[in-house]
Amino acid sequence: MAGGGASGGAGQAEVETWPSRPPHLIVNVTDLRKRLGQRREVAIDAILARQQVLDTHTLRTPVRGEITVESIERGVSIHGHVSFDWEGDCRRCLEPVQGTTEIEIDEICQVHAPPNSDIVDFDGEKVDLLPLISDAVGLSLPLAPLCREDCPGPDPDRYPALTEQELEAAEADEPAPDPRWAALDGLDLN
Ligand SMILES: [Zn+2]
């Protein structure tokens, strides 16, 4: 008898109260940068703007994790991990599927970062973690999720389920569409 939690609803796990706004993810690193190698741990717990790619979108639940900011030459390194919740359509049966994905954040922020590099330019004083986390989440949305590993799909007899490895192998074998075929489509071959 652990008690039913705050909500009295039968089996309702849905959280209904959200933080009114995300905690500030701007980290002042002025003190940190006084000595190379100094570190600060930043706990991440923030609801970010909804992101969607194809049929998969982020849920309105907090992105959580731990980020270490460390003082390096001309800036800071940002390293850690966060996890986020998403919802999409199962690629076989097309039923809604939800999941949680954990991703690694690994960035270097420097004053006068060289152009066209992966290094994030910043003013040397404040690092905004929000766009770094947000971009990483957007790039990690699972675009072809499964409701379960062996989901048989809507018509198992005609479309037998492939395992994850078989699917990856099939995708790797499949050649990119040849643009010349597109041209042939327009021809009348009588
Ligand atoms: Zn499914």
Side-chain angles (χ1 to χ4, degrees):
M1 299 302 110
S7 105
Q12 290 288 332
E14 193 74 13
V15 178
E16 285 173 15
T17 49
W18 311 99
S20 55
R21 49 171 298 157
H24 240 45
L25 293 178
I26 294 176
V27 182
N28 190 319
V29 296
T30 313
D31 280 351
L32 198 71
R33 293 195 59 218
K34 286 178 180 162
R35 196 155 51 86
L36 285 181
Q38 280 199 110
R39 295 177 174 193
R40 185 186 305 162
E41 309 288 332
V42 182
I44 308 298
D45 187 346
I47 291 180
L48 307 186
R50 184 183 191 274
Q51 297 196 64
Q52 174 155 3
V53 180
L54 301 179
D55 292 324
T56 304
H57 61 86
T58 55
L59 291 179
R60 200 168 147 70
T61 54
V63 173
R64 291 207 168 99
E66 194 77 41
I67 301 267
T68 303
V69 183
E70 179 174 344
S71 170
I72 60 170
E73 292 275 353
R74 296 198 296 121
V76 292
S77 69
I78 311 284
H79 183 76
H81 61 271
V82 296
S83 61
F84 66 96
D85 301 324
W86 49 264
E87 183 179 78
D89 293 336
C90 172
R91 67 168 177 258
R92 290 194 196 126
C93 69
L94 305 181
E95 291 295 320
V97 48
Q98 293 187 351
T100 300
T101 296
E102 181 168 294
I103 51 173
E104 198 159 306
I105 308 285
D106 212 354
E107 299 282 354
I108 301 286
C109 303
Q110 284 185 324
V111 182
H112 305 308
N116 305 320
S117 74
D118 288 338
I119 299 174
V120 179
D121 190 55
F122 86 124
D123 65 3
E125 296 175 3
K126 291 189 180 113
V127 169
D128 189 356
L129 299 179
L130 185 68
L132 304 183
I133 294 172
S134 206
D135 287 356
V137 166
L139 290 170
S140 308
L141 278 168
L143 302 184
L146 284 173
C147 63
R148 56 176 219 263
E149 198 55 44
D150 58 349
C151 170
D155 192 346
D157 291 337
R158 282 177 63 199
Y159 306 104
L162 297 177
T163 65
E164 197 68 29
Q165 280 104 345
E166 284 169 337
L167 190 94
E168 273 167 23
E171 279 169 357
D173 284 348
E174 198 168 301
D178 189 328
R180 286 170 296 181
W181 289 113
L184 286 178
D185 281 346
L187 293 177
D188 187 350
L189 297 175
N190 281 329

